[in-house]
Amino acid sequence: MEATYVVKNSKSSKKKKKAQTVEETRDRDCLTELPEPLLHNILSYLTMKDVIKTSVLSKRWRYIWLSITCLKFLPMKKQKYKEVGFINRTLLLHKGPKIQKFSITFVYNPAHAHQVDSWIHFAIARNVNELYLDFPCKRSCLFRYGYKLPHFIFSCRSLTVLALKHCVIRIPVNFIPSSLKILSLEHVFFIGGDISDLISSSPILEYLSLTNCLSSSDLYLSIFKVGMKTLKIYESHYYSQSSKLDVYAPFIVSFELVTNMSGKNYVMKKMQSLESASFDCIGTPGLQFNAEDKRQSIVQILDEVHHVKELRLCSCYILALSSGEGQDFITFAVTCLRIKTGLTKWELPGIDYMLKHSPNIETLIISIDKNEGEKEPNFLNLLGNLKTVKLYNFMSDLDVHTSTKTEELLEKLQNEMNFLRFLLKNSKVLEKLIITTCKGVDFGKSESKKLKLMFLLTQELLSFPRASRDAQISFS
């Protein structure tokens, strides 16, 4: 009996120790026990206002924020002088010898110029790697009231990422070679100099984005760097119609251009390394460029990128191929074609042209913008290599509240259905037809109407003749 008692006591002791271990684990602050570099990484996702609040969590957390390497300041709901004071005190107390990322968004007033200069100088003095500056101004005139970037920022050799918004850049005459890899400029006004000088001073630059940037002169981009791979230009609404955009980039791999299709002259040359290109228009200017010179400008751009494997076009470019003669010499090497179109009768000839002159196309992705077409496409090309078709924004123009009958709704979709009929009928190796309905279509409480419409659409699609027995249709 005595031996049995000892065994039971041993088991009971083990259970108590296990329960005590579980309780101790629950009471432990696992987050606080993490190594400091990992804590810094977690804090890097917070604004400095929230980071400083963590100092009250425990003794260890009290001083961690003083040495973090990522500092992020966003506009605060305080009086401006209190916000300035908060930023000044934070930077004054910071003890870290190195800054990885410095990000600040500050509603700017010319009276704060010296303060802002000191904040940027703080980051550069600590060999910042990534600098994100955004200085929106309450006044509309960026040139007169916007923040003027100090010249010393261009002498920082530790910068690898520079993103600027809402500021003025006076491009200096002499540059010190920099270590920039990514340069993103948005709502920036250039004064004097040439942006190509800024690019040439960055020998390892890989990515350049210009969004709604303004210049007192024409924009010339001569990029002859082997490492430069990505170029994005989003044109401002306020570009002068007499200005000019010239791009020479023989080593660019990815190019994106969004324009307002003003009367300016667009020149794209020496882009033989391109693999993907995207062209879009601001607003809906597709039917506004009847002038022959604008059409020719678009055709010349497309001719320069005819060798790309992935091409994205808006209806504006499709219309340029639809109207006029003289572009039959262009043959595209594209394997993946993305089109934003309304499938209108004015665009169908342009789509016809693209499909007939793209013998290697395997994937066709269509995003429906508007629906004004009246007839079934009459393409001649049999799409011998087309394997995947994705149709986005299906039913985008459907107003379910004006039509009481499901049959009437189906009738309004006949233009899109005709296009699908053509694709199924002429795509010999088609494998997938993926149709994504527009999220903006509101059936309200008419769930039965939606189900009936989807049933009728499915039945009609299944009745279409198919050139490929392997073609699968799916709705999402």
Side-chain angles (χ1 to χ4, degrees), residues 161-361:
V161 178
L162 178 60
L164 304 174
K165 291 184 180 181
H166 302 101
C167 60
V168 179
I169 298 179
R170 184 181 294 276
I171 299 179
V173 177
N174 298 318
F175 286 94
I176 298 175
S178 70
S179 56
L180 274 181
K181 291 185 178 181
I182 298 176
L183 178 60
S184 177
L185 306 177
E186 183 175 348
H187 290 287
V188 170
F189 192 94
F190 298 104
I191 303 177
D194 193 336
I195 190 174
S196 292
D197 296 332
L198 179 59
I199 297 171
S200 61
S201 69
S202 307
I204 59 174
L205 191 66
E206 299 175 357
Y207 175 99
L208 174 62
S209 175
L210 302 175
T211 303
N212 293 330
C213 294
L214 295 171
S215 175
S216 56
S217 59
D218 296 333
L219 181 59
Y220 293 94
L221 294 178
S222 297
I223 306 172
F224 293 96
K225 297 180 179 300
V226 177
M228 184 73 175
K229 301 301 181 184
T230 303
L231 175 61
K232 296 183 179 181
I233 302 176
Y234 299 83
E235 191 174 61
S236 170
H237 287 277
Y238 307 106
Y239 271 120
S240 170
Q241 291 190 358
S242 60
S243 59
K244 188 176 183 180
L245 174 63
D246 279 15
V247 179
Y248 298 83
F251 301 106
I252 292 294
V253 175
S254 176
F255 178 59
E256 187 172 345
L257 177 65
V258 180
T259 68
N260 60 11
M261 290 312 301
S262 64
K264 69 157 48 183
N265 186 16
Y266 300 90
V267 178
M268 312 290 159
K269 291 292 184 181
K270 299 185 182 299
M271 306 185 80
Q272 59 268 24
S273 299
L274 268 186
E275 296 178 5
S276 66
S278 175
F279 300 96
D280 205 345
C281 300
I282 299 172
T284 54
L287 299 177
Q288 300 176 10
F289 67 100
N290 297 322
E292 179 63 20
D293 57 340
K294 295 181 181 180
R295 191 192 71 81
Q296 284 296 332
S297 179
I298 288 179
V299 171
Q300 289 173 6
I301 291 174
L302 292 178
D303 187 27
E304 189 62 34
V305 301
H306 71 277
H307 56 283
V308 302
K309 299 299 182 181
E310 184 173 346
L311 183 61
R312 184 193 300 263
L313 301 176
C314 70
S315 60
C316 182
Y317 286 76
I318 295 299
L319 285 168
L321 294 174
S322 298
S323 59
E325 303 293 337
Q327 69 267 14
D328 287 341
F329 59 90
I330 306 178
T331 299
F332 296 91
V334 60
T335 57
C336 178
L337 177 63
R338 300 170 182 262
I339 299 178
K340 184 170 70 173
T341 172
L343 295 177
T344 67
K345 63 181 180 182
W346 300 282
E347 296 170 278
L348 291 179
I351 300 175
D352 178 20
Y353 179 88
M354 283 299 305
L355 296 179
K356 286 195 298 184
H357 293 77
S358 303
N360 301 322
I361 185 171

Side-chain angles (χ1 to χ4, degrees), residues 353-371:
Y353 179 88
M354 283 299 305
L355 296 179
K356 286 195 298 184
H357 293 77
S358 303
N360 301 322
I361 185 171
E362 297 178 359
T363 302
L364 175 64
I365 302 174
I366 295 178
S367 178
I368 298 177
D369 206 9
K370 290 184 178 181
N371 183 8

